[in-house]
Amino acid sequence: MSQILDAYRGLRLGDRWDGAPTVVRWAVMLLVIAFAFYLPYLNILPFAYIRTDLTSSGSDWASVLFLVVVYMIVAVGLNVVIGLAGLLDLGYVGFYALGAYSIALFGSTNSPVVQAMQSKFGLSEEWAVPFAVCIPIAITMSLIAGVFLGAPTLRLRGDYLAIVTLGFGEIIRITARNLDNVTNGAAGITQVPVPPGPEIDGRAFFNTIDAERWYWLALTILILIIWLARRLEHSRVGRAWLAIREDEDAASVMGVAGFKFKLWAFAIGATLGGLAGLLFGSKQQYVEPNAFMVNLSFLFVAMVVIGGSGNIFGALLGAFLLTYLPERFREFVDWRPFAFGVALVLVMILRPQGLVPSRRRAREFEDRRHEAEEAAADA
Amino acid sequence: MPDLTTPSSANSDEAVGLEDTSDHDLIEIETSGAVGETLLEVDHVTLRFGGVVALNDVNFEIRRGEILGLIGPNGAGKTTCFNAMTGVYTPTEGKIRFKGKEIAGTKPHKINHLGIARTFQNIRLFPEMSALENVMVGCDARHKSSVVGVLFRSYRVRPTEAELPESGIRRSLAKVFGVSRHTLEERAGRRRSMELLRFVGIADRAHELARNLPYGYQRRLEIARALATEPELICLDEPAAGFNPAEKEDLMGLIRRIRDLGHTVLVIEHDMKLVLGVTDRIVVLEFGSKIAEGTPEEVARNPKVIAAYLGEPDDAA
Ligand SMILES: Nc1ncnc2c1ncn2[C@@H]1O[C@H](COP(=O)(O)OP(=O)(O)OP(=O)(O)O)[C@@H](O)[C@H]1O
Ligand SMILES: [Mg+2]
């Protein structure tokens, strides 16, 4: 086993990537993105074997791709909180639920909130808050929830934070289930709005049949988010998070405002969780409390940890594996918890730092080699 | 006299780079007062941990531009004194004033921003970050980019001629749209960090993880990281602990050069000979109380100090 791992290390993909000229890197990046957009139509053998709809009982391929990307957004957000800032958040599903419920509560004609607004302001029964307005509402709600949860709890350390966030996730779900006259309770909210778009073949652009459009939308958002997250990672903000994770007391003596940066990590994580929830709720066109059980939180944490805490691409890989594999191998559905447990234990034993550990550790800034040479020359 | 916290065998085979570090491009820091005036005042500070009196009515001052030695046997309260000055502990009684401003009870990061930095007796680097990144965290203390500014590069500044990129398109773009403050700070921070690593003599391993560095490098890295925050007062807690005599001598030279850059230095050191050689004044603590203060000659002659040091059977250093 260790030989395999060594061989894997020998590939040194990260170093090669950094050593490649800018043109090559851009070309590779564009190719990967183009391929990702093409994935729903993938039909060339043998690659088509990765599709999940090869048997009649399989899941719709594009829908699986969509879910993978939504969970990737979740993983990028949670990676900021857990991987970079080192804050164990076990209630991430709470933000995911908040995002989904925000758009349902304000955008659906089926929502008691919208119905109350209709009767209060004498609006027609068709009226609901427009989709474009629902987005900032959902983002603001998750952000505010993140700040409100973080402000008192981020002064706690380690285990306490995990327990409080775990409670938060459950509180959101239970509230959604019990507030019958706001959220329709366990019945959930139907007619969650979809993004506007031109009608094609008499159907709305974003509908329940053409899942690939949802996938493309989510993928575009994901790419934007990765781009922004990397900016943060390679800045004083990312360094502050790492410093806090490594030694909070030493960091604060070095001038790092610990609480401020932890709260930012939390707020950014919450926002991304909310955004992912919004996409999920909108695509389903239906939200209900049972979609946001606590085990989803654990799945999210597992994605980040298995993939490689602190590394965006590790988190993406974790999200992909834990979403895609169960769908691809649906025949073995009974074995799912077992396989999941074994995989987790194996990763923890063989690669405790995750499948793709943070490359920051080996790799440095773009001009690493240049600087090293310079230093050697001066020494 | 106290034993050295780290067995000397641990580092004897990992000789610290003894290259000359006096050649550097660091410029003197800006200071806001005249040499010799009071910079920090420890005003009758008492600090208790339950029943333990770690500091008992300690009273001294640090003058701008000097190298002040803080010495005393094990458990005398030297590190506790540092902790009180850098906001880690709040004194039970008494006041600490920095540039005339009361700082006891202020958060550590705010005290750092006011201009006090320190190193730790038991090294506390960010082990999973490279040496360069460790120092950059220090530089960041002086940077202003916000999270929003980093995300959207929204805060733009007009670059000076030297900051403009060389190549054509980028240069014109920078001229028209300015450059984001974040980009400039990042660039300046990296350059300064590299310069600081060179200054303390460990630039050859700038890109290695802090935890993989040899012991002597780690000690120096702590100093570089503290210097990066541009402190007016830098407090070094046993920076030469575990060093062999040659390395110690080398470090004392570094301390002098730090002072020459405009920093005021407070240093804890057990080796009497070294302290006498490098410091301008010395404060002696024993059992939490100040027992002597003065120039190295005065302190070395002080019977109380001699008693305190000779009274300890394991006084070998
Ligand atoms: N957090 C704490 N809680 C309780 N007692 C403490 C604490 N920190 C320090 N002390 C006690 O305060 C006294 C002074 O300790 P301090 O670490 O300041 O000594 P020191 O002069 O730095 O000694 P050394 O030469 O060993 O570094 C000791 O008796 C120590 O046990
Ligand atoms: Mg000490």
Side-chain angles (χ1 to χ4, degrees):
Chain A
M1 191 69 212
S2 70
Q3 280 124 325
I4 300 174
L5 288 181
D6 286 343
Y8 169 86
R9 265 180 221 121
L11 284 175
R12 296 180 149 274
L13 279 179
D15 286 351
R16 276 202 210 165
W17 177 252
D18 292 326
T22 320
V23 191
V24 175
R25 280 193 289 182
W26 272 100
V28 171
M29 232 150 53
L30 288 177
L31 269 177
V32 169
I33 291 173
F35 181 70
F37 273 93
Y38 166 74
L39 267 179
Y41 295 135
L42 187 68
N43 240 332
I44 329 156
L45 288 172
F47 303 110
Y49 278 117
I50 66 169
R51 291 182 73 108
T52 52
D53 51 2
L54 296 175
T55 58
S56 54
S57 64
S59 330
D60 175 46
W61 174 227
S63 292
V64 170
L65 286 175
F66 170 78
L67 196 65
V68 167
V69 172
V70 166
Y71 283 178
M72 280 178 165
I73 296 176
V74 165
V76 172
L78 197 55
N79 181 52
V80 168
V81 182
I82 295 183
L84 297 180
L87 306 164
L88 186 50
D89 182 348
L90 292 183
Y92 203 63
V93 74
F95 302 115
Y96 187 66
L98 264 175
Y101 262 100
S102 304
I103 183 141
L105 284 174
F106 293 98
S108 160
T109 47
N110 179 242
S111 132
V113 175
V114 168
Q115 285 162 359
M117 286 200 243
Q118 287 167 354
S119 61
K120 181 122 199 251
F121 303 111
L123 298 157
S124 85
E125 293 202 348
E126 314 276 84
W127 182 89
V129 180
F131 187 87
V133 182
C134 287
I135 297 176
I137 292 179
I139 288 177
T140 316
M141 295 252 298
S142 346
L143 185 84
I144 290 175
V147 172
F148 266 74
L149 177 65
T153 54
L154 286 176
R155 297 181 200 275
L156 304 173
R157 295 220 171 168
D159 309 345
Y160 297 105
L161 182 69
I163 293 165
V164 174
T165 51
L166 185 63
F168 165 78
E170 280 296 86
I171 288 171
I172 296 287
R173 182 179 65 85
I174 292 167
T175 310
R177 199 185 59 201
N178 292 340
L179 279 184
D180 285 325
N181 43 12
V182 181
T183 63
N184 283 350
I189 300 172
T190 57
Q191 291 160 40
V192 178
V194 300
E199 275 196 16
I200 293 175
D201 303 336
R203 285 200 299 263
F205 189 74
F206 289 102
N207 56 47
T208 33
I209 298 163
D210 302 306
E212 65 272 11
R213 294 177 193 162
W214 287 99
Y215 165 67
W216 291 327
L217 173 70
L219 187 59
T220 312
I221 294 174
L222 174 70
I223 291 168
L224 268 175
I225 285 171
I226 293 174
W227 180 57
L228 289 176
R230 283 181 62 86
R231 278 192 163 182
L232 280 181
E233 204 183 327
H234 300 283
S235 72
R236 67 180 297 227
V237 183
R239 279 191 297 273
W241 285 334
L242 285 187
I244 291 167
R245 186 189 73 187
E246 301 281 282
D247 187 336
E248 189 167 353
D249 297 321
S252 82
V253 170
M254 287 306 132
V256 176
F259 179 70
K260 179 180 121 183
F261 282 108
K262 285 200 285 185
L263 195 58
W264 266 113
F266 223 65
I268 289 167
T271 308
L272 293 185
L275 192 61
L278 178 151
L279 281 169
F280 170 80
S282 181
K283 155 102 179 0
Q284 300 291 306
Q285 299 183 25
Y286 172 59
V287 298
E288 51 139 356
N290 282 343
F292 308 106
M293 302 287 272
V294 65
N295 53 2
L296 206 51
S297 276
F298 297 143
L299 182 73
F300 293 162
V301 174
M303 289 171 182
V304 174
V305 173
I306 287 184
S309 211
N311 181 332
I312 290 184
F313 296 103
L316 293 177
L317 179 69
F320 170 77
L321 291 178
L322 292 190
T323 322
Y324 165 79
L325 289 182
E327 293 292 347
R328 175 65 184 79
F329 300 104
R330 273 195 102 93
E331 323 59 298
F332 308 108
V333 65
D334 297 341
W335 290 88
R336 208 184 275 176
F338 176 73
F340 184 66
V342 169
L344 208 57
V345 170
L346 279 181
V347 169
M348 287 301 106
I349 292 172
L350 296 173
R351 274 187 89 75
Q353 69 277 55
L355 295 176
V356 193
S358 173
R359 270 168 60 231
R360 170 184 293 276
R361 291 160 194 196
R363 191 227 51 207
E364 288 301 336
F365 303 100
E366 294 159 29
D367 43 359
R368 163 186 186 174
R369 223 157 298 144
H370 178 66
E371 274 175 357
E373 276 162 16
E374 206 173 79
D378 286 8
Chain B
M1 200 144 133
D3 60 324
L4 301 170
T5 37
T6 314
S8 52
S9 61
N11 45 348
S12 55
D13 50 350
E14 301 221 65
V16 175
L18 299 180
E19 74 261 29
D20 181 19
T21 59
S22 48
D23 160 43
H24 59 80
D25 295 335
L26 293 174
I27 45 167
E28 287 184 24
I29 63 152
E30 280 174 37
T31 49
S32 51
V35 168
E37 65 170 33
T38 303
L39 183 61
L40 183 127
E41 226 182 320
V42 177
D43 185 1
H44 297 281
V45 166
T46 297
L47 207 153
R48 290 189 207 97
F49 296 107
V52 182
V53 185
L55 293 176
N56 183 13
D57 198 31
V58 173
N59 199 26
F60 66 90
E61 59 167 32
I62 303 170
R63 296 172 198 152
R64 193 184 287 280
E66 74 177 346
I67 301 178
L68 180 70
L70 185 60
I71 66 171
N74 262 147
K78 305 178 296 293
T79 299
T80 305
C81 195
F82 269 33
N83 283 334
M85 284 161 44
T86 51
V88 179
Y89 299 142
T90 310
T92 321
E93 283 160 42
K95 293 195 160 56
I96 299 176
R97 277 182 292 271
F98 183 64
K99 296 194 273 187
K101 192 169 172 272
E102 167 78 46
I103 57 166
T106 309
K107 291 247 163 56
H109 73 266
K110 295 228 168 97
I111 291 185
N112 176 282
H113 294 168
L114 288 174
I116 304 181
R118 68 174 288 187
T119 65
F120 295 88
Q121 182 173 358
N122 46 343
I123 301 173
R124 290 180 75 171
L125 292 163
F126 307 124
E128 295 290 333
M129 296 168 84
S130 73
L132 183 66
E133 282 178 307
N134 266 273
V135 184
M136 284 181 78
V137 170
C139 286
D140 289 337
R142 297 282 155 184
H143 288 170
K144 303 224 157 43
S145 324
S146 64
V147 173
V148 177
V150 167
L151 273 177
F152 304 109
R153 309 278 145 100
S154 43
Y155 192 105
R156 321 236 19 129
V157 289
R158 208 137 280 295
T160 63
E161 190 57 34
E163 287 164 347
L164 277 173
E166 279 171 28
S167 71
I169 296 180
R170 280 166 182 251
R171 189 181 171 87
S172 336
L173 283 177
K175 269 186 177 162
V176 177
F177 297 107
V179 181
S180 87
R181 177 170 63 184
H182 161 70
T183 311
L184 290 185
E185 284 183 347
E186 196 75 2
R187 221 182 280 156
R190 196 177 313 167
R191 203 176 320 117
R192 202 175 117 76
S193 300
M194 210 58 206
E195 207 53 60
L196 280 164
L197 287 176
R198 207 165 290 148
F199 178 67
V200 300
I202 60 171
D204 55 327
R205 299 176 84 161
H207 298 287
E208 251 170 82
L209 291 190
R211 74 183 155 98
N212 293 341
L213 292 174
Y215 176 81
Y217 272 60
Q218 294 195 0
R219 280 243 173 262
R220 284 155 178 266
L221 179 54
E222 274 225 328
I223 297 176
R225 184 180 65 174
L227 284 174
T229 68
E230 295 176 37
E232 287 186 56
L233 172 65
I234 180 167
C235 307
L236 308 172
D237 198 344
E238 299 195 28
F243 279 12
N244 66 34
E247 290 167 336
K248 281 191 178 184
E249 199 49 59
D250 206 40
L251 194 90
M252 292 304 141
L254 178 63
I255 290 176
R256 275 189 214 102
R257 286 200 299 281
I258 290 173
R259 192 255 306 271
D260 294 343
L261 281 178
H263 305 274
T264 305
V265 183
L266 173 62
V267 56
I268 295 178
E269 175 52 56
H270 280 312
D271 192 327
M272 265 297 230
K273 222 173 73 206
L274 272 167
V275 179
L276 297 180
V278 76
T279 52
D280 300 314
R281 285 190 317 127
I282 294 177
V283 170
V284 190
L285 292 181
E286 190 189 19
F287 298 124
S289 306
K290 184 177 87 176
I291 56 166
E293 178 177 359
T295 62
E297 297 76 38
E298 287 165 3
V299 166
R301 277 200 309 269
N302 190 312
K304 274 197 209 160
V305 178
I306 295 167
Y309 272 87
L310 296 184
E312 303 243 335
D314 58 339
D315 183 358

